[in-house]
Amino acid sequence: QKEVEQNSGPLSVPEGAIASLNCTYSDRGSQSFFWYRQYSGKSPELIMSIYSNGDKEDGRFTAQLNKASQYVSLLIRDSQPSDSATYLCAKNSNSGYALNFGKGTSLLVTP
Amino acid sequence: DADVTQTPRNRITKTGKRIMLECSQTKGHDRMYWYRQDPGLGLQLIYYSFDVKDINKGEISDGYSVSRQAQAKFSLSLESAIPNQTALYFCATSGPSWGGGPDTQYFGPGTRLTVL
């Protein structure tokens, strides 16, 4: 089982809707979780980090962490066409600082 | 200027050639990483270094080697390139987070490598 699992999509949502991206992980000891956005051919850029159970909000983005169920999610409110990208879920690895990445979920926001 | 730079940005080479990809950073971070990305496979860790004297293998280190020449420089070498090493390669850096929060990794722009 891969350490971080994501549905590859594509997830298609209309402009203005809420996009919900999900991620599960296998190592109960993981402490830190990250969501990166990656446009085609570009480098990943950090959107959110979260390491406590519950919700963390930053503008239109909300990260949710549930360590008991071993899942992390990212909600994007008022989705815009410019949000169309691949979203990568990541967690700290056993080494502590290196990251394990999921394969990414492709999001398409249609006008 | 970009905080994390990679050279070259694109490279086409032939099977059996030795290739070096270079990464430099001005963020003052101690930790540096090399990842490769293949379509549909996400990012896979090749090697990482927590300081100049510390080098560690990642998930897919076979066929690769690295050199940490200085705190700011971390190079990835393919000793004898093969076609299945064709991929997008990213360098990343991270440093301590003030307040004890999780590290954030900052990625370079990537090197697109094609091995014929």
Side-chain angles (χ1 to χ4, degrees):
Chain A
Q1 180 186 9
K2 194 165 171 58
E3 295 211 38
V4 179
E5 299 276 3
Q6 293 181 259
N7 188 320
S8 61
L11 173 66
S12 183
V13 299
E15 184 175 357
I18 296 175
S20 178
L21 303 162
N22 300 310
C23 168
T24 59
Y25 61 94
S26 57
D27 180 4
R28 282 193 174 274
S30 298
Q31 296 295 317
S32 304
F33 301 86
F34 306 84
W35 282 100
Y36 283 82
R37 177 176 62 198
Q38 186 177 26
Y39 293 111
S40 181
K42 303 295 184 182
S43 57
E45 55 179 329
L46 182 74
I47 299 176
M48 300 276 290
S49 59
I50 185 168
Y51 54 99
S52 299
N53 276 327
D55 295 357
K56 179 181 179 182
E57 186 174 321
D58 184 0
R60 296 187 295 113
F61 300 95
T62 299
Q64 299 174 318
L65 174 60
N66 184 322
K67 290 186 178 180
S69 300
Q70 294 176 243
Y71 81 79
V72 192
S73 62
L74 179 70
L75 300 178
I76 306 174
R77 289 181 299 281
D78 189 23
S79 296
Q80 300 298 308
S82 59
D83 294 325
S84 298
T86 296
Y87 289 80
L88 302 170
C89 175
K91 68 169 189 65
N92 64 294
S93 70
N94 291 337
S95 73
Y97 297 116
L99 296 179
N100 299 130
F101 282 86
K103 294 182 180 181
T105 298
S106 175
L107 173 66
L108 177 63
V109 181
T110 55
Chain B
D1 287 342
D3 294 323
V4 185
T5 58
Q6 292 184 234
T7 56
R9 294 293 311 279
N10 288 282
R11 181 72 183 267
I12 299 173
T13 189
K14 295 182 178 180
T15 297
K17 295 291 187 182
R18 184 179 189 273
I19 296 296
M20 179 180 285
L21 309 182
E22 298 185 328
C23 177
S24 296
Q25 51 109 349
T26 58
K27 300 188 74 67
H29 288 164
D30 288 328
R31 302 170 195 130
M32 299 187 72
Y33 312 82
W34 275 104
Y35 293 92
R36 69 175 275 175
Q37 187 174 39
D38 299 272
L41 292 182
L43 287 158
Q44 297 175 278
L45 183 64
I46 306 172
Y47 271 96
Y48 58 101
S49 170
F50 289 165
D51 63 41
V52 175
K53 297 180 181 179
D54 177 79
I55 302 289
N56 303 279
K57 293 182 177 180
E59 306 165 69
I60 55 162
S61 58
D62 287 349
Y64 302 94
S65 62
V66 291
S67 173
R68 185 81 185 265
Q69 299 95 326
Q71 184 202 34
K73 296 184 182 294
F74 192 36
S75 299
L76 175 71
S77 293
L78 288 67
E79 298 300 327
S80 179
I82 57 178
N84 76 0
Q85 291 178 312
T86 293
L88 189 54
Y89 290 84
F90 288 105
C91 173
T93 76
S94 70
S97 297
W98 302 113
D103 277 9
T104 296
Q105 290 196 12
Y106 297 89
F107 285 81
T111 295
R112 186 169 296 281
L113 176 66
T114 302
V115 183
L116 302 176

